[in-house]
Amino acid sequence: MAYGTISEIKEALRSGESALSITKSYLKRIKEFQNLNAFIEIFEDDALRQAKDVDAKIANRTAGKLAGCVVAIKDNICFKGHRVTASSKILDGFESLFTATALQRLIDEDVIVIGRLNCDEFAMGSSNETSVYGPVKNNLDISKVPGGSSGGSAVAASAKLCTFSLGSDTGGSIRQPASWTKTYGFKPTYGRVSRYGLIAYASSFDQIGPFTNSIDDAEIITKLMSGKDDFDSTSSSKNWDIKVNEKGRLAVISEYLQHPGLDPEVKTELFSTIAKFKKIGYTIKEYNFPFMEQLVPTYYILSTAEASSNLSRFDGVHYGFRSEKANGVEETYVKSRSQGFGKEVKRRIMAGTFVLSHGYYDAYYAKAQQVRRLIKNKTNEILNECDAILMPTTPGTAFELNAISDPIQMYLQDIFTVHANLSGNPALSIPWKLHSNGLPFGLQFMAENFNDGFVLNLCKKLEKEL
Ligand code: GLN
């Protein structure tokens, strides 16, 4: 059996399955789909033990909301007593000393954690090809990449190797692979979900979020994970349920609709969807967004700057891998880092160090911060007048493995997703259409800050109406 949603799990439990039998069927399925390379490690014994505990709780009627559900986690989310490496050699052998708050909140509701999932090294990438464990294959077409950086999480949810999975989104790493695997991917508002226990890439962008096979599930899971956490000072205490007055107006951005990189079929679908929304009574308002050209550069200046600082802790002394051939402190740092980090991570550490360096700081880092403010202001201005901004998630569909070697070409895959990370807004990618090449692509909705519940429910409604 394959279970893809929380409601399917509830149904299975009602019809006599147990958490244990459900967990076993997931374990079997994970092994059947090993060729996808989505799982780095299966927590088999642990999951079976958890399942038995959950069954005891079900019998006692003390089970939580996620009893019977099985989650798999991106390899940058800490789970106490289990390995975590961010798919990097530099964290080889490292074990988490604590559990990420977001995950703990799901465990408190009796979710079973079945394993950790492949991703781009330190979540840097758009194709899941920079992992030390090798690339993940797209379950819908194994000659294609699943997207990244949370490629393993996308494939695990899409192939129903778990009830839902967790990923992280710094510049699109949940929404972009969701678009390419026909799943729902949600990046919550920055601050909605605690980052405690998420291995940091770019701290002012990173958010944990779910991959699911329904909007209901994205809502249930994000709501459970969200809320103030004393271990993350940027986490917000704002209520999940915020009263929002619906305006019946959706925004589109001219520069996005007309972007030369947009696949012609994606573009055609975008226009026909806009027409449908009009037909069912929505007003569509078109805006100019004068910072289109600045989105990707601003993102890469700021995220690499933050990464160069965050990744300085991996020095061969404090965590994981240490070069065996090194003599003395300096050489240990240099050799461990040279051997432990992959090419893309090194590129970003160097770029980030450069934009922060004396003499270039004002021209790059400080300037990018100013542009980020302009992007936020313009986004808020649009969302003051509209319920959501409607846009493609990705310019096209999943590409062949090894097809893109130029880093800039790879960075441009994020053109429609980095916007929400720069501005902090919640953004959801929903499965939308199949391209004539047979591959899926998603549609993205971005809403006002902390309107996470609102945008999920709006999409639920729009999905039904369409
Ligand atoms: N592809 C983007 C990058 O490489 C986004 C990654 C992410 O969201 N973690 O930085």
Side-chain angles (χ1 to χ4, degrees), residues 74 123-126 148-149 168-173 201 299-300 348 414:
K74 185 173 180 179
M124 296 172 184
S126 307
S149 64
S168 65
D169 192 313
T170 304
S173 280
Y201 159 17
Y299 168 76
Y300 276 93
R348 301 217 187 175
D414 303 325

Side-chain angles (χ1 to χ4, degrees), residues 124 170 201-202 205 297-311 344-356 365 411:
M124 296 172 184
T170 304
Y201 159 17
F205 296 79
T298 305
Y299 168 76
Y300 276 93
I301 290 170
L302 297 176
S303 65
T304 56
E306 293 185 25
S308 74
S309 161
N310 274 325
L311 271 59
E344 183 58 28
V345 173
K346 284 180 188 157
R347 185 182 352 259
R348 301 217 187 175
I349 292 172
M350 286 190 272
T353 306
F354 174 78
V355 299
L356 287 172
Y365 184 74
Y411 299 170

